[in-house]
Amino acid sequence: MKLSRFFLISFILVTTLAFGQSNDETEIRQLEKHWTELLDKGDTSSLLKIWSKNYAVNNPNGKIVTPKDIVALMETGHRFPTVKRIIEKITFNQDIAIVMGKELQQPENRSTNHEEWIPRRFTNVWIKTNNGWQLAARQSSKVCAE
């Protein structure tokens, strides 16, 4: 009886570890959603807390921008198009999380028809600091038609 309980408990632990998300992965998934919502709201003060001091973006237009550039643009009234992000892979390497996937960007005409949305690929790099996870780098590219 004791041996069967041991095997049952061992099986449950192994299954949980093998198939469950880690706390870090769950937190990164929540942060990915949260920072996108903050961008949609134009909440620059909260974004600056999530972005690392040296955050840099290689945007879909091929330009490298920093928080200073992004905040200045938002302060002029610029509103970023809505983006639907689909995470396909999160890889952890010590205190670094690399998030990769696809996203759909709402076109400039603000169409809600997802058939018209612009497909892109993205990579976001998060670093675990004393203040928690911070977004350190981002790259996003338009998907070219084949």
Side-chain angles (χ1 to χ4, degrees), residues 30-118:
Q30 290 170 346
L31 283 167
E32 281 285 333
K33 183 178 179 182
H34 183 63
W35 86 266
T36 303
E37 291 167 350
L38 293 174
L39 193 62
D40 288 344
K41 292 177 186 174
D43 187 346
T44 54
S45 61
S46 294
L47 285 166
L48 289 169
K49 293 175 187 171
I50 290 177
W51 294 335
S52 72
K53 185 177 88 173
N54 296 317
Y55 176 59
V57 178
N58 189 354
N59 72 23
N61 299 322
K63 185 175 179 186
I64 297 172
V65 295
T66 65
K68 181 180 175 183
D69 302 318
I70 299 166
V71 169
L73 185 62
M74 292 172 80
E75 286 175 347
T76 66
H78 177 80
R79 185 172 161 244
F80 287 99
T82 300
V83 172
K84 305 268 186 213
R85 190 169 296 118
I86 298 104
I87 296 171
E88 295 176 349
K89 177 87 172 149
I90 300 177
T91 304
F92 289 90
N93 188 342
Q94 296 176 4
D95 291 338
I96 299 172
I98 302 166
V99 182
M100 296 180 185
K102 59 186 170 186
E103 53 193 18
L104 294 172
Q105 175 190 314
Q106 188 178 39
E108 288 184 30
N109 67 7
R110 304 282 184 205
S111 169
T112 56
N113 179 358
H114 285 196
E115 300 280 324
E116 297 177 30
W117 287 34
I118 302 160

